């Protein structure tokens, strides 16, 4: 269980020295770590936050009609899920996966299915065959993938305003081996060269249809997913995937831009390349060439390099090109939330994305924020990781300016309209007081005013705080402080702050 965390209130004038004496005596008796101080950098600016989000594949294809799940992930209201009362995560970003599978035959051709394919990861596609590009013809089936579409529309109805259309694989019939899980060796291109443009036609057609018929306006379209990977193997694949050499990516990107433009979707940006790691993303971006880069509106990267990789190097190159940067997919099997907190803080400090997207909102083996089985269609409990993420998603909000937190365990964001400062911090070491210094702000809040705080204990689900709100922290001059148990994560909000 979490150690006692009774909050210290501000001292009267001259009491700080008395506090130091008492704390020194306490340290000698308890052996606790000394205070640390984190000074928030009011002069920093790492971009305007666009939002937190989630991919809709694969969970939404299984649970797309569940309004309680839509409320849990896409609102901030409290929702009952099973025996839990959950604070909504308030995601405002959703990534919709245009599927690659259909089970029809055309001119003697049909989809090839990998022997290890998992059924819930076969995403239904809309373009059934190559007979016609006319989206009103029988070559297209717009009733496919109804559940994922339903969840996307539910997300929009709840306030999601950043939508990305992405592809794990081209439609099966565009693939060299007709297998949307990848090429037969995993490391060679699986998109037929004569279908480079058709892949763009497919995605642009989905975007246009969604705008006209679903009330969904995509912000961006991404034609690739981890394209440099060598594990998209049609012989062993368990999900959709496709390898694209960098030269192929560079050829497809202009087609993507052109096909969007020809449908009047000039405001929809093209993003790329959703590489698996920061280092792969850096290498791919450097090799795309000026023609392809000029067609991009954003660079996407996945966070599967975890605690390694050149986050700062990728950011520097993307920023130099004048492009935005998203961590468009992150996930792991650590249900405690420790890996998520550590890697997310690394991203905000070094990668400087303006949006951050979790992969599987609902899945088993620790991957999901909520435990579940997309094949058996069962829903379990929210993990401790869910409550760790809530500290970030419910307090660092769209429109905020991302600031330097002053330490490697602290992140901060500022709302210029509300004059509110949000801080999220984690204590990985021995129990200690962490002080937060706001002296760099022209107005660091009002001395004596309440600083709202919320706490989650990283660890076994149910064995400590799960996003617990407390009103026991106050600003003393330009500082406030809180006692952190080991592995405690907290969010704070300070009002009446001016840069």
């Amino acid at each position: 269980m979490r150690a006692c965390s009774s909050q210290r209130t501000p001292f009267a004038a001259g009491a700080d020295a008395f506090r130091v004496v008492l704390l020194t005596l306490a340290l000698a008796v308890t052996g606790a770590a000394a205070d640390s101080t984190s000074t928030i950098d009011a002069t920093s600016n790492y971009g305007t936050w666009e939002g937190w989000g989630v991919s809709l594949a694969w969970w939404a294809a299984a649970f797309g009609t569940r309004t309680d799940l839509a409320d849990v992930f896409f609102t901030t209201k409290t929702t009952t899920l099973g025996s839990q009362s959950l604070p909504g995560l308030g995601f405002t970003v959703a990534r919709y996966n245009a599927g690659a599978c259909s089970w029809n035959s055309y001119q003697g051709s049909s989809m090839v299915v990998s022997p290890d394919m998992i059924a819930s990861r076969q995403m239904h596609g809309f373009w059934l065959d190559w007979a016609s590009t006319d989206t009103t013809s029988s070559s297209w089936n717009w009733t496919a993938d109804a559940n994922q579409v339903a969840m996307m529309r539910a997300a929009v109805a709840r306030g999601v305003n950043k939508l990305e259309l992405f592809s794990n694989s081209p439609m099966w019939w565009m693939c060299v081996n007709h297998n949307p899980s990848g090429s037969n060796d995993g490391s060679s291109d699986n998109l037929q060269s004569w279908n480079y443009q058709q892949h763009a036609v497919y995605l642009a057609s989905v975007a246009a249809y969604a705008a006209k018929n679903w009330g969904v306006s995509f912000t961006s379209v991404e034609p690739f997913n981890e394209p440099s990977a060598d594990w998209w193997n049609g012989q062993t694949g368990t999900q959709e995937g496709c390898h694209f050499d960098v030269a192929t990516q560079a050829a497809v990107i202009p087609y993507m831009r052109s096909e969007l433009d020809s449908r009047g979707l000039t405001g929809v940006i093209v993003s790329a390349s959703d590489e698996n790691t920061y280092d792969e993303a850096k290498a791919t971006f450097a090799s795309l060439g000026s023609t392809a880069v000029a067609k991009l509106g954003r660079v996407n990267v996945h966070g599967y390099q975890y605690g390694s990789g050149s986050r700062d190097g990728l950011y520097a190159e993307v920023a130099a090109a004048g492009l935005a940067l998203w961590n468009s997919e992150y996930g792991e099997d650590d249900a405690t939330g420790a890996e998520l907190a550590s890697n997310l803080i690394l991203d905000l400090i070094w990668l400087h994305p303006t949006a951050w997207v979790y992969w599987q909102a609902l899945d088993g083996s620790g991957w999901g924020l909520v435990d579940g089985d997309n094949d058996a269609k069962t829903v379990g409990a929210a993990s401790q990781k869910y409550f760790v993420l809530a500290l970030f998603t419910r307090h660092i909000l769209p429109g905020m300016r991302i600031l330097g937190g002053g330490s490697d365990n602290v992140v901060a964001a500022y709302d210029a309209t509300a004059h509110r400062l949000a801080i999220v911090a984690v204590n990985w070491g021995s129990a200690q007081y962490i002080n937060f210094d706001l002296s760099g702000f022209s107005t660091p809040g009002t001395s004596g005013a309440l600083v709202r705080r919320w706490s989650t204990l990283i660890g076994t689900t149910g064995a400590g705080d799960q996003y617990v709100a407390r009103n026991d922290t106050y600003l003393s001059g330009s500082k406030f402080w809180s006692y952190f148990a080991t592995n405690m994560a907290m969010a704070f909000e300070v009002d009446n702050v001016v840069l």
Side-chain angles (χ1 to χ4, degrees):
M1 293 293 290
R2 170 181 177 272
C4 177
S5 62
S6 57
Q7 180 62 37
R8 296 176 299 169
T9 56
F11 292 91
D16 279 347
F18 184 55
R19 164 184 169 270
V20 171
V21 172
L22 290 179
L23 184 56
T24 302
L25 292 173
L27 295 176
V29 172
T30 65
D35 285 5
S36 65
T37 297
S38 191
T39 301
I40 309 303
D41 184 359
T43 66
S44 57
N45 186 350
Y46 295 114
T48 301
W49 192 246
E50 294 184 72
W52 305 92
V54 69
S55 169
L56 299 179
W58 305 296
W59 68 275
F63 300 102
T65 59
R66 290 279 299 262
T67 57
D68 55 348
L69 292 176
D71 288 341
V72 163
F73 298 126
F74 302 113
T75 77
T76 55
K77 69 182 184 181
T78 300
T79 300
T80 299
L81 187 67
S83 63
Q84 291 177 298
S85 183
L86 299 180
L89 294 177
F91 291 146
T92 59
V93 177
R95 300 188 77 224
Y96 175 83
N97 178 212
C101 295
S102 68
W103 286 261
N104 59 292
S105 295
Y106 183 72
Q107 294 185 353
S109 295
S110 57
M111 181 175 67
V112 175
V113 179
S114 301
D116 297 328
M117 187 67 177
I118 296 173
S120 63
R121 300 178 184 182
Q122 291 180 294
M123 302 303 292
H124 293 231
F126 302 105
W127 197 0
L128 306 181
D129 59 56
W130 58 89
S132 177
T133 60
D134 181 355
T135 57
T136 65
S137 73
S138 60
S139 290
W140 297 75
N141 175 21
W142 292 108
T143 64
D145 200 30
N147 276 2
Q148 194 188 181
V149 171
M151 184 56 74
M152 175 170 59
R153 297 181 73 176
V156 171
R158 286 160 173 77
V160 166
N161 57 14
K162 299 287 183 183
L163 288 152
E164 179 158 75
L165 173 65
F166 78 99
S167 169
N168 283 328
S169 167
M171 283 298 304
W172 65 266
W173 54 264
M174 299 183 195
C175 298
V176 171
N177 60 0
H178 286 182
N179 188 331
S181 290
S183 62
N184 289 340
D185 62 11
S187 59
S188 57
D189 280 5
N190 205 32
L191 175 63
Q192 296 164 331
S193 59
W194 56 90
N195 277 320
Y196 286 3
Q197 186 171 4
Q198 298 298 73
H199 182 42
V201 166
Y202 174 48
L203 296 176
S205 296
V206 173
Y209 188 91
K212 182 178 180 180
N213 297 280
W214 298 338
V216 171
S217 297
F218 286 106
T219 306
S220 56
V221 177
E222 162 62 287
F224 318 115
N225 178 67
E226 300 179 0
S228 294
D230 60 4
W231 50 73
W232 303 127
N233 190 312
Q235 306 300 305
T236 59
T238 62
Q239 63 189 77
E240 295 177 1
C242 184
H243 178 93
F244 292 83
D245 288 339
V246 175
T248 307
Q249 296 177 51
V252 170
I253 288 170
Y255 282 130
M256 191 72 258
R257 179 70 270 157
S258 176
E259 293 300 329
L260 288 170
D261 290 347
S262 70
R263 290 162 177 77
L265 301 176
T266 55
V268 179
I269 68 172
V270 179
S271 57
S273 289
D274 274 83
E275 293 287 12
N276 179 265
T277 71
Y278 310 110
D279 291 346
E280 284 178 331
K282 185 170 178 285
T284 293
F285 184 69
S287 301
L288 278 176
S290 58
T291 299
V293 169
K295 304 298 183 182
L296 296 178
R298 186 178 65 240
V299 171
N300 285 0
V301 64
H302 294 180
Y304 295 113
Q305 208 165 357
Y306 300 123
S308 302
S310 181
R311 286 173 166 88
D312 53 344
L314 175 60
Y315 168 72
E317 292 199 9
V318 173
L323 295 174
L325 178 61
W326 279 15
N327 185 331
S328 54
E329 184 179 312
Y330 173 88
E332 25 70 6
D333 61 359
D334 176 18
T336 71
E339 287 293 316
L340 180 142
S342 176
N343 294 315
L344 177 46
I345 289 173
L346 285 173
D347 280 341
L348 291 175
I349 291 175
W350 297 106
L351 182 67
H352 305 305
T354 54
W356 195 92
V357 180
Y358 195 78
W359 169 226
Q360 284 299 294
L362 194 149
D363 202 358
S365 302
W367 278 86
L369 300 170
V370 173
D371 188 64
D373 188 319
N374 294 321
D375 288 285
K377 294 183 172 58
T378 57
V379 177
S383 68
Q384 206 71 1
K385 174 159 56 178
Y386 178 100
F387 299 98
V388 172
L389 185 56
L391 295 171
F392 295 88
T393 65
R394 292 173 61 91
H395 302 285
I396 298 177
L397 303 178
M400 282 185 158
R401 169 174 162 176
I402 303 301
L403 305 177
S407 302
D408 61 7
N409 61 327
V410 179
V411 295
Y414 177 71
D415 184 333
T417 301
H419 300 299
R420 178 174 298 145
L421 177 68
I423 299 171
V424 183
V426 179
N427 177 44
W428 299 111
S430 300
Q432 64 170 322
Y433 284 104
I434 298 180
N435 303 293
F436 300 94
D437 185 343
L438 313 186
S439 59
F441 293 85
S442 62
T443 303
T446 303
S447 186
L450 176 70
V451 176
R452 296 177 299 281
R453 75 178 179 98
W454 295 259
S455 58
T456 295
L457 184 65
I458 294 168
T460 304
T461 298
D465 283 5
Q466 294 182 323
Y467 193 74
V468 176
R470 302 189 190 279
N471 294 322
D472 56 6
T473 305
Y474 298 87
L475 193 65
S476 178
S478 61
K479 295 182 180 180
F480 69 94
W481 46 83
S482 189
Y483 182 78
F484 283 71
T486 299
N487 293 333
M488 182 61 73
M490 294 191 198
F492 303 90
E493 288 185 355
V494 187
D495 290 328
N496 300 312
V497 176
V498 179
L499 289 176

